[in-house]
Amino acid sequence: MVSGPLTGVGKTTVSNYLASGLNNNGLKVALIDCDYHRGDLHKEIKSKNIKLEDLRVDKFDISDYLVKEGFFFIPRPRNASETAFNFFQSQEFSLLIDKIYESVDYIIIDTPPLLSRPDALMISRVSSEILLVARHAVTTNKEFKESMNQLNSVTNKSTYAVYNCLKRNRFNYGYYNYYDY
């Protein structure tokens, strides 16, 4: 699961690059857009939104979501923002994730922001690990700590940080930057 405190920190970009990188190394990957409110990953992958009914376990066939060999993309359902929280806390969602795991090596779930929606907290219960994305000069320490506190209140799963978009001062001197001016 890839999440972050608020919008604009790079959750979707990290999710997409992580899934693509794993797939480029010969692994089967399913990338799932679980930001049912403002998710736009389908635009990057050039896929259409689906109906929530398409995600019913008895109707779901992973081969319908094949983008390229070993890479599957499940877009967010259209008009599902009102029912997102209930779906993510349902047994149906857990069963869907289990069914997808039968066909792939990794599942990368792109989530909505932790501090604005409870959806990511529900999704964390079906995730084996969590990547929490912070963006340089955008994410505050308070936002990051609150996100960690919220995650720790619902799960004890491993959480890793991604510090995104670091802008280095071009006048820095450093061991590897002998000639930065």
Side-chain angles (χ1 to χ4, degrees):
M1 173 182 122
V2 179
S3 195
L6 297 171
T7 60
V9 298
K11 299 175 299 296
T12 299
T13 301
V14 169
S15 298
N16 196 3
Y17 283 158
L18 179 59
S20 295
L22 290 167
N23 179 249
N24 289 340
N25 282 301
L27 298 166
K28 291 182 183 175
V29 180
L31 176 58
I32 307 173
D33 187 355
C34 283
D35 187 348
Y36 286 12
H37 306 278
R38 299 180 73 186
D40 58 1
L41 194 50
H42 65 281
K43 293 176 186 173
E44 287 183 40
I45 299 184
K46 295 177 177 60
S47 172
K48 293 183 180 180
N49 288 346
I50 57 174
K51 297 178 193 165
L52 189 57
E53 298 82 45
D54 296 334
L55 297 178
R56 290 180 42 116
V57 174
D58 58 344
K59 292 178 71 176
F60 185 82
D61 182 359
I62 189 98
S63 64
D64 294 340
Y65 302 94
L66 183 67
V67 174
K68 65 179 187 175
E69 185 175 342
F71 188 86
F72 303 89
F73 173 62
I74 296 99
R76 70 175 172 89
R78 62 183 168 270
N79 302 323
S81 63
E82 298 298 321
T83 59
F85 182 75
N86 289 335
F87 178 63
F88 295 138
Q89 71 178 359
S90 73
Q91 183 67 21
E92 185 75 18
F93 181 67
S94 295
L95 293 172
L96 176 66
I97 296 298
D98 290 342
K99 186 170 185 174
I100 295 170
Y101 262 125
E102 293 171 2
S103 302
V104 299
D105 300 309
Y106 288 95
I107 296 176
I108 308 299
I109 302 174
D110 184 36
T111 71
L114 275 161
L115 298 182
S116 61
R117 303 255 178 222
D119 300 4
L121 295 175
M122 288 289 98
I123 295 167
S124 71
R125 63 188 182 84
V126 299
S127 302
S128 57
E129 295 178 340
I130 300 164
L131 289 180
L132 189 58
V133 180
R135 186 179 185 120
H136 179 74
V138 173
T139 306
T140 66
N141 285 340
K142 183 178 178 181
E143 292 165 348
F144 193 82
K145 287 178 184 177
E146 180 59 29
S147 297
M148 287 297 299
N149 288 339
Q150 285 189 18
L151 284 168
N152 290 335
S153 72
V154 297
T155 186
N156 60 357
K157 297 183 179 148
S158 298
T159 303
Y160 303 93
V162 174
Y163 193 67
N164 202 17
C165 295
L166 175 64
K167 301 259 194 248
R168 293 185 35 189
N169 181 340
R170 58 181 238 154
F171 297 106
N172 278 355
Y173 290 97
Y175 184 78
Y176 293 104
N177 299 315
Y178 297 112
Y179 299 107
D180 275 357
Y181 292 106

